[in-house]
Amino acid sequence: SAGILIFIIAYVIATVALIPASALTLAAGYLFGPVLGTAIVSVSSTTGAAAAFFIGRTFARPFVAEKLGTNPKFAAVDQAITGNGAKITFLLRLSPIFPFSLLNYALSLTGVSFQDYVLASWAGMIPGTIAYVALGGAGKAATSGSLTPTQLAVYGLGVVGTLAATRVISKVAGDALKEAGAIDD
């Protein structure tokens, strides 16, 4: 529908413009529900990440290099990504160490291939996408007034469980990034 297309376009623009998209991810759960919302955000975030990566790797490269090239965290990631581009990209997407929008541009300066970047980014963003979209869906369910207290409790436990799992995944990814030398302690 037109609403979905408008949402995707807005999400991609926000991502390229370095505007945090977490509010849009929550909104997707509220507007489209957890399953369709997750699918829409997955398409939107991956497309936005690919567009920002392409922009950062092509005509905006000098600007991005000037802004990020001296960052010590980025230097560690750049060194670790050589030969492990997909793995490090995947782990960075699972970990909240770098903001989503900034990471798109930072990784455009590395040697990771476009294909590896897009695939690893998509896979690594799934857990966070599910968590945020579920939270938005829970917000709608809580405000609709049509749920029984038991249904609301089950929905709430599902969101808490998803957020807890995302936190564990982020911790494991952060530890793996430290082990790979992509980040400092």
Side-chain angles (χ1 to χ4, degrees):
S1 82
I4 293 172
L5 183 59
I6 291 168
F7 183 91
I8 292 170
I9 291 168
Y11 203 108
V12 169
I13 290 169
T15 301
V16 169
L18 294 170
I19 298 168
S22 52
L24 286 171
T25 305
L26 289 166
Y30 189 90
L31 295 171
F32 307 113
V35 176
L36 182 57
T38 296
I40 292 168
V41 171
S42 185
V43 168
S44 302
S45 62
T46 304
T47 303
F53 183 89
F54 175 78
I55 290 167
R57 187 157 276 186
T58 56
F59 58 87
R61 187 174 186 86
F63 177 77
V64 175
E66 178 186 326
K67 297 295 181 191
L68 299 176
T70 59
N71 182 306
K73 281 186 182 179
F74 172 71
V77 168
D78 190 26
Q79 185 176 6
I81 215 161
T82 303
N84 293 305
K87 176 184 174 184
I88 299 298
T89 300
F90 175 75
L91 291 170
L92 285 167
R93 289 301 187 186
L94 290 173
S95 173
I97 293 166
F98 286 98
F100 165 75
S101 294
L102 183 60
L103 186 59
N104 300 321
Y105 288 103
L107 290 175
S108 74
L109 299 176
T110 70
V112 66
S113 72
F114 182 76
Q115 179 180 332
D116 284 351
Y117 167 80
V118 171
L119 201 56
S121 289
W122 169 76
M125 290 185 292
I126 292 290
T129 296
I130 291 169
Y132 274 88
V133 172
L135 192 58
K140 182 175 186 176
T143 60
S144 72
S146 63
L147 294 178
T148 67
T150 302
Q151 289 172 318
L152 192 55
V154 169
Y155 217 119
L157 286 173
V159 169
V160 169
T162 302
L163 291 173
T166 302
R167 182 173 164 88
V168 169
I169 290 167
S170 294
K171 167 88 172 90
V172 170
D175 291 347
L177 287 167
K178 286 177 191 170
E179 186 177 310
I183 60 170
D184 297 325
D185 288 330

